[in-house]
């Protein structure tokens, strides 16, 4: 974008950037946009029912997430992006040079309770996308959306549309996919993407992720994916609900200890929750301070298993980021197969944390938390 | 805050900036004006005038052009109640909520929209800075 950068290694503003690519520029397509592109039998079936409600998926083909949230109640605007003119408005605001348009309603496609209809909707969405949105002269590219319920049809779709101008990727609406995306059912789709030279984007929708979580867990037929994800995911769900419902406010003298889930997700979770809370105080009205402050004041984390033990810079920074000098407590998990020997963590942390802080992590904090 | 009484005015000609006439802003309405290069929103809400910066402290959105509404709070029995009706403005970009009587962000005291005193002189509205 800039003509002549005096200091080429310094980026002080957008003007110092050569190109800006928005890799997840959302459209807000409605059923009404897509239905005219449906193939039979669904065109005749669904278009005979009238136009339906404006927002589309409420109580109709696409499942709704049921949340009362800033956009739903009108506190945030979330402009519609359904035409080239709408895209241009977004481009003017965000100042990208290129963008890959991804859907909104069709993030819910994997949760549509009719596999063949889902596949037909994917095909219709992509036709609508190409007809109305994609414009390479304006840097507007598209991601082909496929229905993971029908991997063979998804592969056929990629074969049929991949050569269309402006198609930059394939997007799997990955929230609630069942089985999870490692299953061999999806290999034909992956092969088609490979044939087409298109990358695969995976994008969840918050409202769909949990709809199949228990059955997804059962479909993880190996130990690794279960062990890597389950602990921290379950903790995140529980903590998010406890904070939103004001549990630490109702029980201010109560401490909570989070165990055996690794550490890196924890500073992430604090910041992600604070970030969302900033625009939705009304959804957690019990809280009197930012969510992360409750976590720092009333919640504790035990150490084992510690990921990134071979990367002291990572581990030290992670522990600092959640103020682990006050809330991290050593644990070994002995005799489980992945137990930590007593000084393994200390050898790393002592390069960053002083003696008092190490003492906290190794026992002083536990002395305060537990009633010994 | 927002003492809209002429008798309380301490402003001088130099620091009073004319916005519009009282009659032009009915209760429940607002105007957004450019005053000396500052975008300022002037609200008429529940009989009071309030003036705030129209620049969201979050990412620079037009904070005062969003929905003017209330919010959910909890009463002494922890029941959800509707509160601050017509006193909460939500930035249309990301829904950050501010109390128009104080400029305070509802979720964090780290953020606040600048506010301006409003003066009513001879039926005309002025902001002071």
């Amino acid at each position: 974008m800039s003509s002549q950068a005096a200091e080429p290694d310094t980026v002080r503003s957008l003007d110092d950037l050569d190109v800006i690519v928005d890799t997840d520029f959302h459209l807000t397509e409605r059923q009404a946009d897509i239905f005219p592109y449906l193939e039979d039998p669904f065109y005749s079936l669904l278009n005979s029912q009238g136009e339906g409600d404006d927002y589309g998926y409420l109580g109709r083909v696409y499942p709704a997430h049921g949340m009362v949230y800033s956009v739903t109640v009108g506190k945030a605007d979330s402009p519609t992006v359904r035409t080239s003119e709408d895209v241009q408005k977004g481009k003017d605001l965000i100042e990208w040079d290129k963008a890959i348009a991804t859907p909104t309603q069709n993030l819910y496609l994997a949760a549509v309770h009719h596999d063949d209809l889902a596949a037909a909707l994917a095909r219709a969405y992509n036709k609508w996308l190409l007809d109305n949105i994609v414009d390479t002269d304006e840097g507007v590219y598209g991601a082909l959306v496929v229905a993971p319920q029908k991997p063979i049809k998804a592969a056929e779709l990629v074969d049929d549309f991949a050569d269309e101008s402006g198609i930059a990727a394939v997007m799997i609406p990955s929230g609630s996919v069942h089985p999870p995306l490692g299953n061999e059912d999806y290999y034909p789709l992956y092969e088609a993407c490979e044939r087409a030279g298109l990358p695969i984007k995976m994008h969840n929708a918050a409202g769909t992720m949990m709809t199949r979580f228990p059955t997804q867990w059962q479909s993880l037929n190996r130990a690794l994916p279960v062990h890597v994800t389950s602990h921290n995911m379950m903790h995140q769900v529980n903590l998010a609900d406890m904070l939103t419902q004001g549990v630490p406010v109702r029980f201010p003298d109560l401490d909570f200890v989070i165990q055996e889930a690794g550490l890196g997700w924890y500073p992430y979770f604090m910041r992600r929750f604070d970030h969302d809370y900033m625009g939705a105080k009304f959804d957690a009205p019990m809280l009197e301070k930012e969510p992360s402050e409750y976590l720092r004041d009333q919640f504790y984390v035990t150490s084992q298993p510690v990921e990134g033990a071979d990367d002291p810079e990572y581990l030290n920074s992670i522990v600092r980021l959640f103020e682990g000098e006050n809330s991290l407590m050593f644990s070994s998990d002995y005799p489980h197969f992945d137990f930590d020997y007593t000084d393994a963590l200390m050898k790393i942390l002592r390069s960053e944390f002083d003696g008092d802080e190490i003492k906290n992590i190794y026992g002083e904090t536990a002395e305060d938390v537990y009633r010994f | 805050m927002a003492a809209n009484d002429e008798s309380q005015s301490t402003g001088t000609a130099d620091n009073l900036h004319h916005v519009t006439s009282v009659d032009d802003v009915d209760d429940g309405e607002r105007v957004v004006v450019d005053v000396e290069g500052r975008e300022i929103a002037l609200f008429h809400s529940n009989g009071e005038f309030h003036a705030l910066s129209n620049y969201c402290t979050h990412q620079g959105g037009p904070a005062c052009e969003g929905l003017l509404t209330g919010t959910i709070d909890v009463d002494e029995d922890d029941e959800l109640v509707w509160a601050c009706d017509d006193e909460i403005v939500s930035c249309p970009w990301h829904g950050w909520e501010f109390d128009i009587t104080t400029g305070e962000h509802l979720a964090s005291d780290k953020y606040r929209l600048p506010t301006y005193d409003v003066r009513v002189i001879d039926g005309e509205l002025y902001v002071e800075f």
Side-chain angles (χ1 to χ4, degrees), chain A residues 74-75 77 93 250 278-279 290, chain B residues 69-70 78 92 97 105 108 110:
Chain A
K75 287 175 182 286
D77 226 5
L93 181 66
R250 297 172 200 270
M278 286 298 112
E290 291 179 49
Chain B
T69 177
D78 291 343
E97 298 167 286
H105 183 236
S108 170
K110 287 188 288 198

Side-chain angles (χ1 to χ4, degrees), chain A residues 158-172:
Chain A
V158 172
D159 287 339
D160 291 347
F161 286 86
D163 291 335
E164 295 282 349
S165 172
I167 292 301
V170 172
M171 201 204 87
I172 302 175

Side-chain angles (χ1 to χ4, degrees), chain A residues 33-46:
Chain A
D33 298 316
I34 301 166
F35 280 5
Y37 289 92
L38 272 173
E39 294 171 4
D40 265 344
F42 298 108
Y43 176 82
S44 299
L45 179 70
L46 297 179

Side-chain angles (χ1 to χ4, degrees), chain A residues 68 70 73-79 93 250 274-286 288-291 293, chain B residues 58 66-67 69-74 78 80 82 88 90-97 105-111:
Chain A
V68 173
S70 309
V73 299
K75 287 175 182 286
D77 226 5
S78 191
L93 181 66
R250 297 172 200 270
D274 284 353
H275 177 272
D276 278 18
Y277 176 69
M278 286 298 112
K281 163 69 179 167
F282 62 87
D283 211 29
M286 283 289 292
E288 295 159 350
K289 52 190 179 184
E290 291 179 49
E293 293 181 61
Chain B
H58 176 219
L67 192 67
T69 177
T71 190
I72 291 176
D73 208 341
V74 285
D78 291 343
L80 301 182
W82 187 244
I88 306 298
S90 307
C91 180
W93 277 15
H94 305 104
W96 278 39
E97 298 167 286
H105 183 236
L106 297 197
S108 170
D109 57 14
K110 287 188 288 198
Y111 305 100

